[in-house]
Amino acid sequence: MQEDAIIETAICCYHCGDECNDDVLYKDEKAFCCRGCSTVYTLLKEHELSDYYQIASAPGIKKSKEKRTGKYAWLDEADIRDELIRFNNGTLSTVVFRIPSIHCSSCIWLLENLYKLSEGVQSSTVNFMRKEISIRFDEKVISLRQLVELVDSIGYEPEINIENKDKQAAHINRDRSLFYKIGIAGFCFGNIMLLSFPEYLGLNHIGGIAFRELFGYLNLLLALPVFFYCAIDYYRSAWTGLRQKELNLDLPITLGIIALFGRSAYEILSATGSGYMDSLAGLLFFMLIGKWFQSRTYEQLSFERDYKSYFPIAVTRLNNGKKENIAIEKAEVGDILKIYHEELIPADAYLLDDKAAIDYSFVSGESDPVMIKNGQSIFAGGRLKSPSIKIRVKNKVSQSYLTSLWNQESIQQTNKNERSLADKLSRYFTPAVLLIAILTAIYWGMEDWGKAVLAFTSVLIVACPCALALSSPFTLGNAMRMLGRSRFYLKNPWVIERMAEATHIVFDKTGTLSLSENAKVEFIGNELSLELKAKIAELCAQSAHPVSRLIVDYLGVQNGAASLSHFREIPGKGLEALLNGDRVKVGKAAFIGLDDRKALNAKSYVSVNGAAIGYFTLAYQYRKGLSGLIQKLKNRYKLSLLSGDHDTDSTLLRKWFGEEVPLYFRQSPHDKFRYIERLKEKGNKVIMVGDGLNDAGALMKSDVGIAVADSINNFSPACDVIMDGTELNKLDKFLNYSKKSIALVKVAFIISLLYNTIGIGFAVAGMLSPLLAAILMPLSSISIVAFGTSSTWLLAKKHRLQNPIDKVNINKKYNTESNRNIEQKLIQQV
């Protein structure tokens, strides 16, 4: 009958791609499987986000469930809101959600365009590896509940669990669908091989044609989920690249899969052969294992970066009125901390003083300080812009959060570097592989089309660039770990590249080359009364600068003896405030109104109500091994010294640096910035080594900014490296290690290219099956990871970099009896 000839074509949803049932909904001549998908389409169209459907075919998440009224009403509770909000400055808030349904580039595109769906959303950033989204929004325009409802309405329901929030943050989330695909591919691979055993053993003629055809159909049936589901990510990636007129690295793999399946299906259906479904299933199985291995490798790097690279940061805890200096991770909820001017707020806390001005530019990009009143919350990552304050810890200190703040500006640049590398690779690599594969197919096609398909597929698969993609990030990531174990903490692995290219090193002097801990302080001038000592000590106690801390130690007066107001600190110049009605200034000669050109070689002058009363002299000690370090660096780099001090020690410094090295004194922070700028204009690659306090501009302007920290809170957003001051004499080793690490990256690239060249050679000759090619893919990645790990470890051992630092050792640094005197100084310093 004619009805038997009718072929029904499945209608697929325009939004999510699922097959529509009988109740098909149509809008704008497009079919939708449910009202939810239709609603999301309408919402995107109304906000001019229809380009979402151009990124991939049916990219959306199925939204079949109707939203229950009041589903997220509990988010209006103030306590719950406070638990979820990461940051709030009175205007903007930041929140981070985990969204398990993020699966492709179209998800990222849509979620990062949330601002087009609501005026209250300022920005949104997706972390694809963690399947998290960070959203900045204005709570005056859109509440937290409305924000969650908005994200849910487009098919991306956030996973919110207050009780396990901290555990979730510490857990690296993995894409479960990848495990499902590996499982399905492995199951089908094993069963197809089982059904193909008669053919492997040459016994397929025993059962007759009927059994051979039956086994062939069963193999085809088992291959369908492998072809249509397990390989779907490769299809999406290749199709996205073609739509953007780019030949990405997944295109050769996609063509190989399609060619292998097509040829096998033809042979089975036409009864001209048994096909190569075992090779296809094995190919996907081993490629997915390689993909899992690669994702695990990147996750391991991310884990090390977020949770194991901590900095030499200490905090001052008040215990029964006494100050004690502790490692940052030892601060607990309820502890009272003392925060000084320009110091970083290490944890979410409540303000115990009357008011404070907090600069949240480190977190939000907003440079205007936010005024906080007594009892209000202060968020981690802010920098104190007013006199010293006391805070009560609200949430336990999280160095992983501080790490993310430090690294947030570099994430985009890092990803850009990785993408540019992939772009360059695919620009030449993919066309070359396609050309070789096509020529191979043509050559073998003249003799045997079956062999031509196998050779064509083998070329495309064996040339997979997984090993190439792993070479640079893993080798440099492991090198970053080795450097971190020597207390040389890098913002990200790509800083190593810039260090390796450096041609000029600029040093600051005070707090960098010189040690402030053991400096000898003396006051010359009018005799200081106890009242005046108290005023000067109270003024200097507001600052985190090492010189200010030394003056406080020298005066030996209990803080709080004088009432302070109208405080300000001008970096590189000095401090001033009203104390019991007197205007007191401490700083450079010009700062208090003296002629700086006629000033003595003093560090800090003092004036009261405009009248100079004397000055503090400081005799510094220099770091051990400094002379030898400078001599080593002079042989490979151009050097300069920029100091804000007078030229007191110019004779000694000239002896170390030599006559050819420029030494500049009385340099303001702006002078240092301009000097770095001029060096870069002349084509120099500049490393700036400073103390992170008055050198922020120069550190930021340089190609690599290294902040030297002596166990104090010198955590600065401007620097690329935080270096323990005791390790400065090893700077030449660190730089040499960086150069050789880049050489190792190049070796890894060469190994990867040799693997591809040899593999392609065997594939072109028809001596390599697609199954063997698929097995070689993860092995090549494993070999590159093993090379990156072992080579950087051996290189670190050769350079005698220190053993891993554990928290016990760091805590000992602050708490051992032998360091009691240093601890007392640290109490004042921090």
Side-chain angles (χ1 to χ4, degrees):
M1 295 179 65
Q2 189 174 356
E3 286 79 6
D4 295 337
I6 296 176
I7 299 176
E8 294 187 0
T9 303
I11 300 175
C12 295
C13 178
Y14 181 73
H15 177 70
C16 70
D18 285 359
E19 184 175 341
C20 298
N21 298 322
D22 296 335
D23 300 329
V24 183
L25 300 176
Y26 287 94
K27 188 174 185 62
D28 297 337
E29 300 181 354
K30 296 175 176 62
F32 297 93
C33 64
C34 63
R35 191 172 300 280
C37 289
S38 175
T39 302
V40 174
Y41 167 79
T42 303
L43 179 65
L44 297 181
K45 183 182 177 183
E46 289 176 352
H47 291 84
E48 300 181 353
L49 289 174
S50 297
D51 288 345
Y52 172 64
Y53 297 101
Q54 304 301 317
I55 298 175
S57 178
I61 305 296
K62 188 176 181 65
K63 183 63 178 170
S64 57
K65 296 181 180 179
E66 293 294 332
K67 184 174 66 174
R68 173 169 54 86
T69 304
K71 177 181 179 181
Y72 295 109
W74 52 278
L75 290 174
D76 289 332
E77 297 290 333
D79 292 342
I80 295 176
R81 173 201 166 277
D82 291 342
E83 284 289 320
L84 293 174
I85 294 293
R86 291 282 186 93
F87 167 77
N88 175 266
N89 63 1
T91 304
L92 294 179
S93 298
T94 300
V95 68
V96 177
F97 295 125
R98 167 165 155 74
I99 302 181
S101 54
I102 296 175
H103 69 281
C104 66
S105 59
S106 58
C107 300
I108 298 174
W109 184 89
L110 179 58
L111 290 170
E112 291 191 345
N113 279 274
L114 281 178
Y115 67 92
K116 294 183 180 179
L117 299 178
S118 172
E119 293 181 357
V121 177
Q122 300 294 317
S123 64
S124 52
T125 304
V126 174
N127 185 325
F128 183 75
M129 185 67 70
R130 292 179 176 274
K131 298 195 181 302
E132 290 180 346
I133 181 172
S134 175
I135 307 173
R136 289 177 60 197
F137 64 103
D138 187 346
E139 289 194 83
K140 295 180 180 178
V141 180
I142 181 173
S143 67
L144 177 63
R145 173 185 174 181
Q146 292 170 332
L147 177 67
V148 173
E149 290 175 344
L150 172 64
V151 176
D152 183 34
S153 70
I154 58 176
Y156 297 92
E157 182 178 1
E159 183 180 274
I160 305 174
N161 189 333
I162 298 293
E163 293 180 359
N164 296 323
K165 185 182 65 171
D166 293 335
K167 293 181 181 179
Q168 288 176 355
H171 181 263
I172 296 177
N173 304 294
R174 300 182 180 88
D175 187 358
R176 293 185 179 274
S177 67
L178 180 60
F179 295 108
Y180 300 150
K181 291 169 185 172
I182 292 174
I184 292 172
F187 171 82
C188 295
F189 177 42
N191 282 279
I192 291 173
M193 287 187 66
L194 184 64
L195 294 171
S196 301
F197 256 105
E199 183 182 354
Y200 297 155
L201 301 175
L203 304 175
N204 53 336
H205 62 282
I206 296 177
I209 297 176
F211 277 102
R212 187 165 66 247
E213 290 183 351
L214 175 62
F215 288 171
Y217 292 141
L218 289 174
N219 284 345
L220 177 59
L221 185 65
L222 286 167
L224 290 177
V226 176
F227 180 73
F228 287 104
Y229 174 67
C230 297
I232 192 170
D233 291 336
Y234 295 106
Y235 303 152
R236 283 174 174 165
S237 177
W239 179 243
T240 300
L242 290 175
R243 291 185 72 94
Q244 296 174 353
K245 298 180 180 180
E246 293 182 1
L247 300 178
N248 65 24
L249 299 174
D250 284 329
L251 181 60
I253 298 175
T254 300
L255 292 176
I257 294 170
I258 294 173
L260 196 57
F261 179 81
R263 175 67 186 182
S264 301
Y266 169 77
E267 288 189 6
I268 293 172
L269 295 175
S270 63
T272 57
S274 57
Y276 313 98
M277 293 305 183
D278 53 347
S279 295
L280 175 68
L283 169 71
L284 265 301
F285 177 63
F286 287 108
M287 281 201 307
L288 290 171
I289 289 177
K291 188 175 182 179
W292 169 81
F293 177 78
Q294 185 172 350
S295 67
R296 285 283 292 165
T297 299
Y298 281 114
E299 286 176 3
Q300 181 65 23
L301 289 179
S302 176
F303 181 83
E304 289 285 349
R305 183 73 192 98
D306 291 340
Y307 297 95
K308 290 187 178 178
S309 60
Y310 39 78
F311 313 116
I313 299 178
V315 291
T316 302
R317 181 169 63 187
L318 300 180
N319 188 4
N320 296 324
K322 297 181 180 180
K323 298 177 183 178
E324 58 178 346
N325 195 71
I326 61 171
I328 188 172
E329 69 271 10
K330 295 186 68 177
E332 300 290 342
V333 175
D335 283 352
I336 298 177
L337 306 181
K338 181 82 169 180
I339 308 297
Y340 294 94
H341 179 68
E342 289 294 331
E343 280 192 344
L344 196 73
I345 306 297
D348 295 344
Y350 297 108
L351 178 64
L352 299 180
D353 289 298
D354 292 336
K355 61 182 179 178
I358 308 296
D359 175 11
Y360 284 119
S361 59
F362 196 8
V363 183
S364 65
E366 300 289 336
S367 58
D368 294 335
V370 177
M371 293 304 301
I372 308 295
K373 296 181 180 179
N374 180 273
Q376 290 184 332
S377 295
I378 300 179
F379 293 91
R383 194 174 288 279
L384 181 63
K385 287 296 184 181
S386 54
S388 61
I389 58 172
K390 294 187 291 294
I391 61 174
R392 186 184 299 276
V393 176
K394 172 183 176 183
N395 294 322
K396 186 171 171 56
V397 175
S398 173
Q399 287 182 284
S400 60
Y401 175 63
L402 296 183
T403 303
S404 67
L405 290 180
W406 187 39
N407 203 36
Q408 63 182 358
E409 293 180 355
S410 66
I411 287 175
Q412 294 179 352
Q413 183 66 34
T414 300
N415 291 338
K416 185 184 297 183
N417 291 339
E418 290 181 303
R419 287 196 296 269
S420 64
L421 178 61
D423 290 341
K424 292 178 182 179
L425 196 62
S426 61
R427 190 176 304 164
Y428 303 106
F429 186 86
T430 304
V433 170
L434 289 174
L435 179 62
I436 294 172
I438 292 171
L439 292 176
T440 301
I442 294 173
Y443 174 79
W444 286 109
M446 294 184 292
E447 179 182 330
D448 181 357
W449 271 109
K451 192 171 185 178
V453 171
L454 290 178
F456 175 76
T457 307
S458 298
V459 170
L460 295 174
I461 301 306
V462 79
C464 176
C466 295
L468 284 169
L470 278 175
S471 301
S472 181
F474 193 83
T475 304
L476 293 182
N478 203 59
M480 183 185 77
R481 290 171 56 198
M482 295 298 106
L483 290 169
R485 290 175 175 183
S486 292
R487 298 189 281 267
F488 191 81
Y489 306 95
L490 277 67
K491 178 177 283 190
N492 58 64
W494 313 107
V495 175
I496 297 176
E497 292 185 0
R498 301 201 299 273
M499 285 198 299
E501 296 171 353
T503 60
H504 199 122
I505 302 177
V506 179
F507 287 98
D508 172 52
K509 183 176 78 73
T510 307
T512 304
L513 301 183
S514 61
L515 279 167
S516 56
E517 283 185 5
N518 299 319
K520 183 180 179 181
V521 183
E522 185 179 357
F523 182 78
I524 299 176
N526 300 339
E527 184 177 354
L528 298 176
S529 64
L530 183 60
E531 180 185 3
L532 191 51
K533 284 183 178 182
K535 292 178 180 179
I536 297 173
E538 185 65 28
L539 174 60
C540 293
Q542 309 306 316
S543 174
H545 196 282
V547 173
S548 299
R549 315 309 318 140
L550 287 169
I551 293 175
V552 172
D553 281 347
Y554 171 76
L555 293 173
V557 179
Q558 183 69 30
N559 294 348
S563 174
L564 179 143
S565 64
H566 297 83
F567 170 84
R568 70 167 180 157
E569 178 176 4
I570 302 178
K573 294 186 178 180
L575 315 168
E576 70 171 312
L578 285 177
L579 293 117
N580 293 347
D582 292 327
R583 178 165 296 280
V584 181
K585 289 185 176 183
V586 178
K588 297 291 179 64
F591 181 67
I592 69 168
L594 297 178
D595 187 349
D596 188 63
R597 294 172 298 177
K598 297 180 181 179
L600 298 175
N601 292 330
K603 178 61 184 178
S604 298
Y605 283 81
V606 182
S607 72
V608 179
N609 296 323
I613 62 171
Y615 53 84
F616 291 96
T617 61
L618 295 97
Y620 292 107
Q621 292 184 0
Y622 287 88
R623 299 186 187 275
K624 293 181 179 179
L626 186 59
S627 176
L629 171 67
I630 293 172
Q631 293 304 315
K632 293 174 183 176
L633 294 177
K634 281 173 60 178
N635 296 328
R636 288 181 290 160
Y637 302 94
K638 298 177 182 177
L639 302 181
S640 298
L641 175 72
L642 302 179
S643 174
D645 297 340
H646 292 72
D647 55 354
T648 309
D649 299 330
S650 60
T651 303
L652 175 62
L653 293 171
R654 179 61 67 190
K655 178 181 177 181
W656 288 344
F657 281 94
E659 295 297 329
E660 70 279 7
V661 175
L663 308 180
Y664 298 98
F665 298 92
R666 302 183 185 182
Q667 297 293 295
S668 68
H670 180 71
D671 293 333
K672 296 178 182 180
F673 179 90
R674 286 288 300 136
Y675 184 79
I676 301 293
E677 190 174 49
R678 287 193 297 269
L679 287 179
K680 294 184 66 175
E681 288 172 355
K682 295 178 181 178
N684 291 284
K685 300 291 184 180
V686 183
I687 293 177
M688 174 68 193
V689 185
D691 62 7
L693 295 172
N694 294 331
D695 306 317
L699 290 170
M700 186 174 293
K701 186 64 180 176
S702 60
D703 294 285
V704 178
I706 301 177
V708 179
D710 286 303
S711 304
I712 62 174
N713 201 343
N714 281 8
F715 187 78
S716 171
C719 63
D720 301 292
V721 181
I722 296 177
M723 179 183 187
D724 192 296
T726 59
E727 306 299 315
L728 181 63
N729 59 357
K730 297 179 181 177
L731 180 60
D732 62 312
K733 291 184 177 181
F734 297 142
L735 296 177
N736 191 36
Y737 181 79
S738 299
K739 283 190 174 183
K740 292 186 177 180
S741 295
I742 297 300
L744 290 175
V745 171
K746 295 177 181 178
V747 172
F749 268 108
I750 293 173
I751 293 173
S752 301
L753 290 173
L754 285 175
Y755 155 78
N756 280 285
T757 303
I758 295 171
I760 290 174
F762 280 103
V764 169
M767 301 168 62
L768 190 67
S769 69
L771 180 58
L772 183 57
I775 294 173
L776 290 175
M777 280 179 54
L779 291 179
S780 66
S781 298
I782 291 172
S783 65
I784 287 299
V785 169
F787 173 81
T789 303
S790 59
S791 61
T792 49
W793 179 80
L794 289 172
L795 184 62
K797 188 175 181 180
K798 180 180 178 181
H799 283 72
R800 297 180 181 178
L801 301 187
Q802 291 184 358
N803 292 326
I805 305 169
D806 53 34
K807 292 187 178 181
V808 175
N809 290 335
I810 288 182
N811 292 339
K812 285 180 180 179
K813 183 175 184 179
Y814 298 108
N815 298 309
T816 54
E817 289 291 332
S818 60
N819 285 341
R820 179 172 294 178
N821 293 331
I822 296 177
E823 181 179 359
Q824 293 302 316
K825 288 184 178 295
L826 288 175
I827 290 173
Q828 296 300 322
Q829 283 183 314
V830 181

